[in-house]
Amino acid sequence: MEEFRYQHTLKFIEKRFELVDSFELMLSKIKPVSRVEEGRLQAHLDNLTKPVGSLGRLEELAKDYCLKCGVSYPHIPKKCVVVFAADHGVTQENVSLYPKEVTYQMVRNFLNGGAGINVLARHAGADVKIVDIGVDHVFDNETIQAGLYNKKVIMGTKNMVNGPAMTKDEVISAITAGIEMAGVCVQEGFGLLATGEMGIGNTTAASAVTAVLCHKTPEEVTGRGTGISESVRINKINIIEKSIALNRPDPSDPIDVLAKVGGAEIAGICGFILGAALHKVPVITDGFISTAGALAACRISIHAKDYIFASHVSVEKGHRIQLEQIGIKPLLDMGLRLGEGTGAALAMTLIDAAIKIFTEMATFESAGVSN
Amino acid sequence: MEEFRYQHTLKFIEKRFELVDSFELMLSKIKPVSRVEEGRLQAHLDNLTKPVGSLGRLEELAKDYCLKCGVSYPHIPKKCVVVFAADHGVTQENVSLYPKEVTYQMVRNFLNGGAGINVLARHAGADVKIVDIGVDHVFDNETIQAGLYNKKVIMGTKNMVNGPAMTKDEVISAITAGIEMAGVCVQEGFGLLATGEMGIGNTTAASAVTAVLCHKTPEEVTGRGTGISESVRINKINIIEKSIALNRPDPSDPIDVLAKVGGAEIAGICGFILGAALHKVPVITDGFISTAGALAACRISIHAKDYIFASHVSVEKGHRIQLEQIGIKPLLDMGLRLGEGTGAALAMTLIDAAIKIFTEMATFESAGVSN
């Protein structure tokens, strides 16, 4: 039965998917990362002037970066954080501290360079692309000309407590938009991507998606989002429970889950990660919402995981569960809970550092140091 | 009795100390960090376009940086990693994977820019200063002209398993050299300092210092250093136990501990941290050996801690114990165990990121975002 439903979903996608012959064909083009070069990469690292393995995860990062890209020698990549913005009908249920308008206001802030992700991306030497994938606002020409990518699939999701948040068709459009954005980045020469998001109410959707896909109770994966009180959190859990009970998303069908209790930005990130994997470009996940998209991507293609770096573990309690389910280990644990891609941008500086260790350190021989 | 011995040590220092009227006077000039501005700093952070506290430790870092410097608005500082190099007589006891010669060979590697710390300091936009504080090697003119700071106090320590590693006089000279190096950095306009070290055998000395100062057994604080086997680690523990039993360092007298079972670079780092605190310049500790120096500094002046950022927790098992004893929380946990200042250099990029969050993010009002 579950297999059937998933096939049904794939049929849907095939119908819409115009970039490649079919969605299944696209999925078949996502290949696992080859580990053939691992020994040679490790030998190079072991020959640098340091005790073997003494740079710990920096050495792992350098090696993983090469393996993900399929290169035997890395270069500092052009970097880009792609921020998917969307609105959520469930904000009607008093699940967030902020009004829905903040989503579009923050989109303008992103385009003006004043948000946290702008600051941290500049710090990392990364570009930022902002994608309207489902904001419930008609942006003026000025905003669009400031560089907003228009991939709007919906004017926000419907309130999932009353019925499905999206149709499967909408989800597929959002996934497709995410894949397209990965393609845009690859065409522009970006070699290291990161996911970001903005959407008031989206921790509620991410918690619902995570609960279903990880077979957890909403309580186990629902945190305080932007900083809600315990009583609001209890309400949020209650809303998620009701939404799941009403819509009955199928845990074996990630697209069904995204449609019934997800969000357009989560679906967009799912597609973005699939697109990165398709193009063999490493992609860094950010926080809880981004990782919900990554989780869906890894359920759609088992090889997607190979291309993911996990930047950090946030204070959202479900984030650790997502990371464990995917099987990726975060680099940072800094109490972040902003999203936008901020943790991913910080991790970019660590990956660059790792690449420089690989390429700039002297070997024992070249430095005349006894080994 | 313990009080008496400590006073005795201070008398020693007074005799040697020529930078300030007396060591006690110098210590009295190390003031606790004022927290008067904390509320105002927090109010600024809370007014930036993000949920309150959602950038977690980045926000704390920005605030702490301002408080440590005593400024109400931060600027990106000039940064410097100071690497203290010294040798250890205890290497005769087969406690390390590498021969003693690697210490001076690595000093040349540092000066040529090929070591891990050079790579990561460049990545962080930081300078590197290399200090010969006790290397058992006469450097040629070429090396000295390449920029080596000559603060040589000893030609390596004596083998502590046969008697004290250093005299108190030598320790005091090393602490003084560290204070002087902090002064050099301040004069050159560096506003963020970091500690680094190089010295084959120095995890053995650091373990001994940590065991005594933290009232732990050598087993509890002795790890695998550069990557020794379990049998070599057992030998290392045995050597530390014997050294402590023979020399009977006084846990209440950090200078006695540094003299009997320490090292010149650990004493230099201790002085460097005291000097940073004296000048109100934040200083980042690196790994296990650096933090042994920081521990001694915090025992000499209770206010030294206020000026320290802990960069990371290494895989050396005693490091976590040191950090807990001092009461500082590491930023990174990346399985590092190289030393040299590498973890501290990585942390510099996070502190810069935090400062940029403080100075570059838009406020709710300026961005027109509902709060």
Side-chain angles (χ1 to χ4, degrees):
Chain A
M1 181 63 184
E2 287 189 345
E3 179 63 16
F4 168 78
R5 284 193 203 164
Y6 187 55
Q7 289 304 320
H8 184 69
T9 294
L10 290 179
K11 289 272 180 311
F12 251 99
I13 298 178
E14 279 181 40
K15 207 174 61 186
R16 284 294 304 263
F17 208 86
E18 292 161 9
L19 288 179
V20 288
D21 299 331
S22 77
F23 193 70
E24 275 183 284
L25 180 60
M26 189 280 288
L27 289 185
S28 75
K29 287 183 176 168
I30 299 179
K31 301 291 186 196
V33 155
S34 164
R35 304 198 76 85
V36 169
E37 287 291 315
E38 187 166 10
R40 245 169 45 166
L41 296 166
Q42 190 62 55
H44 175 79
L45 287 164
D46 291 350
N47 199 29
L48 303 175
T49 48
K50 58 172 182 49
V52 168
S54 60
L55 280 173
R57 293 203 69 190
L58 278 187
E59 298 189 36
E60 285 173 31
L61 279 177
K63 199 170 62 178
D64 281 352
Y65 178 79
C66 292
L67 292 172
K68 283 176 190 346
C69 300
V71 298
S72 55
Y73 196 88
H75 296 280
I76 295 293
K78 268 182 72 180
K79 292 170 283 290
C80 189
V81 184
V82 178
V83 181
F84 293 87
D87 273 309
H88 293 264
V90 74
T91 51
Q92 290 165 353
E93 305 300 327
N94 185 31
V95 290
S96 178
L97 273 185
Y98 291 86
K100 200 183 67 171
E101 289 66 35
V102 167
T103 303
Y104 80 77
Q105 292 168 347
M106 283 300 294
V107 165
R108 286 201 305 234
N109 195 18
F110 294 142
L111 293 166
N112 290 331
I117 186 55
N118 302 106
V119 174
L120 296 181
R122 279 197 298 270
H123 177 65
D127 283 14
V128 179
K129 293 186 190 296
I130 311 299
V131 184
D132 171 12
I133 196 156
V135 182
D136 187 14
H137 182 78
V138 177
F139 287 101
D140 55 25
N141 273 338
E142 197 186 342
T143 307
I144 292 162
Q145 281 160 11
L148 181 65
Y149 284 81
N150 177 14
K151 298 276 181 185
K152 199 190 282 286
V153 167
I154 48 173
M155 296 291 284
T157 54
K158 294 202 166 55
N159 185 347
M160 66 182 179
V161 84
N162 300 327
M166 291 182 278
T167 65
K168 283 198 175 184
D169 214 28
E170 288 163 348
V171 170
I172 291 156
S173 296
I175 291 177
T176 305
I179 295 171
E180 286 170 355
M181 283 309 301
V184 166
C185 290
V186 171
Q187 278 202 321
E188 292 181 11
F190 291 102
L192 181 59
L193 307 180
T195 63
E197 44 56 50
M198 177 69 215
I200 298 300
N202 66 9
T203 59
T204 304
S207 291
V209 167
T210 304
V212 177
L213 289 180
C214 298
H215 300 277
K216 299 285 180 188
T217 65
E219 201 289 325
E220 290 173 290
V221 296
T222 303
R224 300 206 173 177
T226 49
I228 56 176
S229 66
E230 182 57 15
S231 65
V232 177
R233 190 180 82 93
I234 289 166
N235 173 58
K236 183 171 161 183
I237 292 167
N238 183 35
I239 295 294
I240 295 168
E241 284 170 347
K242 279 189 189 165
S243 303
I244 293 172
L246 175 71
N247 293 302
R248 305 189 59 166
D250 177 355
S252 71
D253 181 350
I255 289 166
D256 188 57
V257 177
L258 291 174
K260 287 175 174 165
V261 297
E265 76 281 56
I266 299 174
I269 288 167
C270 168
F272 187 66
I273 288 168
L274 291 172
L278 186 66
H279 293 291
K280 293 187 171 299
V281 175
V283 58
I284 309 172
T285 54
D286 185 38
F288 183 56
I289 295 105
S290 282
T291 312
L295 188 59
C298 292
R299 292 292 169 87
I300 291 173
S301 166
I302 56 162
H303 303 313
K305 174 197 159 187
D306 284 13
Y307 298 89
I308 299 174
F309 286 112
S311 64
H312 77 114
V313 57
S314 83
V315 293
E316 271 294 312
K317 61 191 282 193
H319 195 199
R320 203 173 290 272
I321 291 167
Q322 295 171 331
L323 294 168
E324 281 166 9
Q325 281 269 337
I326 299 174
I328 48 180
K329 202 174 138 200
L331 282 164
L332 294 163
D333 181 2
M334 291 187 63
L336 306 177
R337 53 181 172 80
L338 175 56
E340 299 181 1
T342 46
L346 280 181
M348 282 178 161
T349 67
L350 297 177
I351 293 171
D352 272 2
I355 292 170
K356 290 175 184 173
I357 286 294
F358 192 100
T359 59
E360 296 182 17
M361 266 186 81
T363 61
F364 282 101
E365 196 184 21
S366 73
V369 175
S370 311
N371 190 5
Chain B
M1 180 64 182
E2 289 190 343
E3 178 63 18
F4 168 77
R5 285 192 203 166
Y6 187 55
Q7 289 304 319
H8 183 69
T9 295
L10 290 178
K11 288 273 180 308
F12 250 98
I13 300 177
E14 278 181 40
K15 208 174 62 186
R16 286 291 306 263
F17 208 85
E18 291 161 9
L19 288 179
V20 288
D21 300 331
S22 78
F23 193 70
E24 275 183 284
L25 180 59
M26 189 280 286
L27 290 185
S28 74
K29 286 182 176 168
I30 299 179
K31 302 290 186 198
V33 155
S34 163
R35 304 198 76 86
V36 169
E37 287 291 315
E38 188 167 9
R40 244 168 46 167
L41 295 166
Q42 189 63 56
H44 175 78
L45 287 165
D46 291 350
N47 199 28
L48 303 175
T49 47
K50 57 172 183 48
V52 168
S54 60
L55 280 174
R57 293 204 69 191
L58 279 187
E59 298 189 36
E60 285 173 32
L61 279 176
K63 199 170 61 177
D64 282 352
Y65 178 79
C66 292
L67 292 172
K68 284 177 189 345
C69 301
V71 299
S72 55
Y73 196 88
H75 297 281
I76 295 293
K78 267 183 72 180
K79 293 169 283 289
C80 189
V81 184
V82 178
V83 181
F84 293 87
D87 274 309
H88 293 264
V90 75
T91 50
Q92 290 164 353
E93 305 300 328
N94 185 32
V95 290
S96 178
L97 272 186
Y98 291 86
K100 202 182 66 173
E101 288 67 35
V102 167
T103 304
Y104 80 78
Q105 291 167 349
M106 283 299 294
V107 165
R108 286 200 305 235
N109 195 19
F110 294 142
L111 293 167
N112 290 332
I117 185 55
N118 301 106
V119 174
L120 296 181
R122 279 197 296 271
H123 178 65
D127 282 15
V128 178
K129 293 185 190 295
I130 311 299
V131 184
D132 171 12
I133 196 157
V135 182
D136 187 14
H137 181 78
V138 178
F139 287 100
D140 55 24
N141 274 337
E142 197 187 340
T143 307
I144 292 163
Q145 280 161 12
L148 182 64
Y149 284 80
N150 178 12
K151 297 276 180 186
K152 199 191 282 285
V153 167
I154 47 173
M155 296 291 283
T157 54
K158 294 201 167 52
N159 186 347
M160 67 182 179
V161 83
N162 300 326
M166 291 182 277
T167 65
K168 283 198 176 185
D169 214 26
E170 287 163 350
V171 170
I172 290 156
S173 296
I175 292 177
T176 305
I179 296 171
E180 286 169 356
M181 284 308 302
V184 166
C185 291
V186 171
Q187 277 202 320
E188 292 182 11
F190 291 102
L192 181 59
L193 306 180
T195 64
E197 45 58 48
M198 177 68 215
I200 299 300
N202 67 9
T203 59
T204 304
S207 291
V209 167
T210 304
V212 176
L213 288 179
C214 297
H215 301 277
K216 298 285 180 187
T217 65
E219 201 289 324
E220 289 174 291
V221 295
T222 302
R224 302 210 171 173
T226 49
I228 56 176
S229 66
E230 182 56 16
S231 66
V232 176
R233 190 180 81 94
I234 288 166
N235 172 58
K236 183 171 161 182
I237 291 167
N238 184 34
I239 295 294
I240 295 168
E241 285 170 345
K242 279 188 187 165
S243 303
I244 293 172
L246 174 72
N247 293 302
R248 306 188 57 164
D250 177 355
S252 71
D253 180 350
I255 289 166
D256 188 57
V257 177
L258 291 175
K260 287 176 174 163
V261 297
E265 77 280 55
I266 299 173
I269 288 167
C270 168
F272 187 66
I273 288 168
L274 292 173
L278 186 66
H279 293 290
K280 293 186 172 299
V281 175
V283 59
I284 310 173
T285 54
D286 184 39
F288 184 56
I289 295 105
S290 283
T291 312
L295 188 60
C298 292
R299 293 291 169 86
I300 291 172
S301 166
I302 55 162
H303 304 313
K305 174 196 158 187
D306 284 13
Y307 298 89
I308 299 174
F309 286 112
S311 63
H312 77 114
V313 58
S314 83
V315 291
E316 271 294 312
K317 60 192 282 195
H319 196 200
R320 204 172 288 274
I321 291 167
Q322 294 170 332
L323 295 167
E324 281 167 9
Q325 280 270 337
I326 299 174
I328 49 180
K329 202 174 137 200
L331 282 164
L332 294 163
D333 181 3
M334 292 187 62
L336 306 178
R337 53 182 171 82
L338 175 57
E340 299 181 2
T342 47
L346 280 181
M348 282 177 161
T349 67
L350 298 176
I351 294 171
D352 272 2
I355 292 170
K356 289 175 184 174
I357 286 294
F358 192 100
T359 59
E360 296 183 17
M361 266 186 80
T363 62
F364 282 102
E365 196 185 23
S366 73
V369 175
S370 310
N371 190 5

